[in-house]
Structures are given as C-alpha cells and as structure tokens.
Amino acid sequence: MTAVTIAEENPRQPAVVRLLELSDAYAASLYPAESNHLVDLSTLEKPTVSFFVARRHGEIVGCCALVEAGDGTAEIKRMFVDPEARGLKVGKHLLAALEAKAEAIGVGAIRLETGIYQPEAIGLYKAFGYVERPPFGSYLPDPLSLFMEKPVRRAA
C-alpha cells in the first residue's frame, strides 16, 4: 500500500476545489442549508487558517483546515476524504497533522461541528478523544449538529 502524505498547502488548487465541491454536495444530500456550516475558499486562504492536503501517488485525496478563533482555540473545518480513498486512513492522518499543528502554535483546545448523520466522522473524532460539548462561537443549537472539543497538550 502506498503511503499517504500530509502537508500544509494552498487550498486554491483545482483538485482541492473538486474535493470541496464533493463535500458541499455530500452535506447538501444529508442536511438542509441552514444546518450546513461550510466555509468558502477565500476563508480557507486567511492567515489564521492552516490548510492540510492529503496525497496518495501525488494525487489529492483529502483535506482539512484548522481555523484559529482568536481566543486560544481553533476549529476543524472542511475535513473531507475523496470517496475513492476511503479506507486508507486518510482522515486519521489529516487529524493527526492538524492536532500537531495546533500543539505547535499553542492552541489550547480544538473544537468542531459535525452532522449527526456522519457516523464515520463522529467515530473518528471520538477515537481521537473529542468529547461532546454545547454549541460554541456563533453556532446556535441545532438538532442536526454535534459539537465536540478536545484539549491540546502544550508543546514542550
């Protein structure tokens, strides 16, 4: 099996845009518009965002972003793995890289919002130690959303 590599990259790449479009379509198939909290490409290019790309055989197969909130926390956004690459543990590799970055930049906690109809994502986050919490930031309570958080250990 060929290794999956993870690196911080610019999100404005055709293959990333394709993944984001797939992510949008997937979210729209599961939830009404008011329950989709997706960020756009320009948001992913901000200096407070670390954007990660997963590659296999040089091809982009997954992505995610760590968005600093400005209060010592950061949020996971746009975690998505190409359906063709499912089963290769791409999500685990992305999440590990994202957490390492959070530790390196001194984030105290990582937060996320995901949908209740995404058991694979919820399972991944729980396996990494994320626990449920109330809505945060500008999120309002939503019966279709699950909010989670994990403290980040401080870099030595």
Side-chain angles (χ1 to χ4, degrees), residues 34-53:
E34 63 272 12
S35 292
N36 279 323
H37 307 285
L38 306 172
V39 295
D40 63 14
L41 192 58
S42 62
T43 298
L44 297 174
E45 294 177 305
K46 291 184 177 180
T48 55
V49 176
S50 301
F51 191 80
F52 296 88
V53 169

Side-chain angles (χ1 to χ4, degrees), residues 32 34-37 113 116 135 139-147:
E34 63 272 12
S35 292
N36 279 323
H37 307 285
E113 178 275 337
I116 62 169
Y139 291 107
L140 299 174
D142 183 335
L144 300 178
S145 287
L146 181 66
F147 302 94

Side-chain angles (χ1 to χ4, degrees), residues 31-98:
Y31 308 103
E34 63 272 12
S35 292
N36 279 323
H37 307 285
L38 306 172
V39 295
D40 63 14
L41 192 58
S42 62
T43 298
L44 297 174
E45 294 177 305
K46 291 184 177 180
T48 55
V49 176
S50 301
F51 191 80
F52 296 88
V53 169
R55 291 178 180 268
R56 182 169 181 253
H57 300 299
E59 300 294 320
I60 294 175
V61 294
C63 63
C64 68
L66 182 70
V67 180
E68 295 176 59
D71 63 358
T73 68
E75 183 179 0
I76 298 171
K77 297 298 284 185
R78 291 307 214 158
M79 171 78 81
F80 190 76
V81 175
D82 189 317
E84 301 287 320
R86 302 260 162 92
L88 299 175
K89 304 194 183 327
V90 174
K92 288 181 179 181
H93 294 302
L94 283 165
L95 196 50
L98 184 142

Side-chain angles (χ1 to χ4, degrees), residues 142-155:
D142 183 335
L144 300 178
S145 287
L146 181 66
F147 302 94
M148 302 179 87
E149 180 176 271
K150 179 181 179 179
V152 177
R153 64 173 197 235
R154 297 291 180 193

Side-chain angles (χ1 to χ4, degrees), residues 119-130:
E120 296 85 359
I122 294 166
L124 174 66
Y125 295 131
K126 285 184 176 181
F128 268 71
Y130 289 79

